[in-house]
Amino acid sequence: MSYRTIVVHADRASNTEARIALAAALAIREDAHLVGAAMTGMPRSMLAGRSYEGSGVYLADYLRRAQERVQQALGHFNSIAERLGVPSHEARSSNDDEYAGLCLQARYADLVVLGQAPAADQEEPSLLPDLPDYVILNCGRPVLLVPRNGRFATVGKRVLVAWNGSPQAARAVTAALPLLRGAEQVTLAVLGNSSGILGESPGADIALYLARHGVNVEVLRRPEPTDPGKAILSLAADFNVDLLVMGAYGHSRFRELMLGGATRTVLATATLPVLMAH
């Protein structure tokens, strides 16, 4: 498989330029079509009304200002894509909230590139704090999460794969194959095997699977940690990797997100790009 269409969220957050630049580099590398997606932030159901009840703010005026913000974000996307030489790209806007809008755009892509949510002490009014969580759990596509700070000249040269034998981890590994095949170093970390599902030689089966796809893997086995999320990020730092691949665990009910501990920790504190699949 390969990435033929990549969608990147275009908004006004502080890491937008780094996020788009990373998505552009991947699109060039994979010869993929790059889509910049921006939403007005308005649920479709609101467009049927005339005003917000009791507020005196007319919906048409709010929509006009929201569309101006969208056009600014997409103009920024286009300028970056053109400057970096992305051969095939387009800007898409929609009158929808970011949750539904990004999940819809993801249906027609191989990979979605999102920005990490702001830290608790940061003010980023343009970025919804639970947006990455929601999209990862609901879009049905792998998501590449770009940290809130920093720029990333490379992604996928040195990769850490967090493996526990779960369906989510298997989907993440499969989704990352285009990057893993071109990696210089792939370390597959197995942290414990308390369930016994990984057999007598944990990691050997998935390493063989990857080898058949042309990926050279080094299997690293460690005891089961107290805090898997912190342990995974610590290994990523120890091996100086530029990409982490892992499954995302949790479920969403009416936007009440219930994430697994490792998923929550990595989403909140990762300082390197993370490819996740649910």
Side-chain angles (χ1 to χ4, degrees), residues 31-118:
D31 193 24
H33 181 65
L34 181 63
V35 177
M39 294 82 203
T40 60
M42 299 181 65
R44 294 177 184 271
S45 58
M46 291 177 61
L47 298 177
R50 292 178 177 271
S51 65
Y52 296 105
E53 184 178 355
S55 70
V57 178
Y58 286 96
L59 190 63
D61 182 61
Y62 181 91
L63 181 59
R64 176 184 58 78
R65 287 184 280 114
Q67 288 173 334
E68 288 175 356
R69 292 193 297 269
V70 164
Q71 292 309 312
Q72 289 173 357
L74 292 179
H76 191 206
F77 162 79
N78 279 326
S79 66
I80 296 172
E82 290 168 6
R83 172 167 53 85
L84 295 179
V86 180
S88 178
H89 63 88
E90 67 173 298
R92 291 182 189 165
S93 64
S94 68
N95 289 326
D96 216 333
D97 63 67
E98 282 89 346
Y99 302 99
L102 283 168
C103 286
L104 179 62
Q105 292 300 325
R107 303 290 192 270
Y108 317 116
D110 301 299
L111 181 68
V112 181
V113 182
L114 296 181
Q116 186 180 33

Side-chain angles (χ1 to χ4, degrees), residues 210-230:
L210 287 170
R212 290 181 179 130
H213 280 277
V215 181
N216 293 319
V217 182
E218 177 186 354
V219 177
L220 179 72
R221 301 182 182 93
R222 290 286 188 272
E224 193 153 348
T226 303
D227 189 327
K230 286 185 178 180

Side-chain angles (χ1 to χ4, degrees), residues 123-189:
E123 292 188 7
E124 284 272 11
S126 62
L127 195 145
L128 300 165
D130 63 343
L131 181 63
D133 314 26
Y134 184 89
V135 174
I136 288 169
L137 295 184
N138 291 277
C139 75
R141 290 290 187 268
V143 171
L144 180 62
L145 188 76
V146 182
R148 63 181 70 91
N149 298 314
R151 298 186 67 88
F152 306 93
T154 65
V155 61
K157 284 192 174 181
R158 299 175 308 281
V159 185
L160 177 69
V161 177
W163 179 250
N164 63 1
S166 68
Q168 294 89 345
R171 283 191 282 270
V173 167
T174 302
L177 278 175
L179 295 171
L180 297 178
R181 279 196 290 260
E184 297 172 359
Q185 170 190 316
V186 177
T187 303
L188 189 139

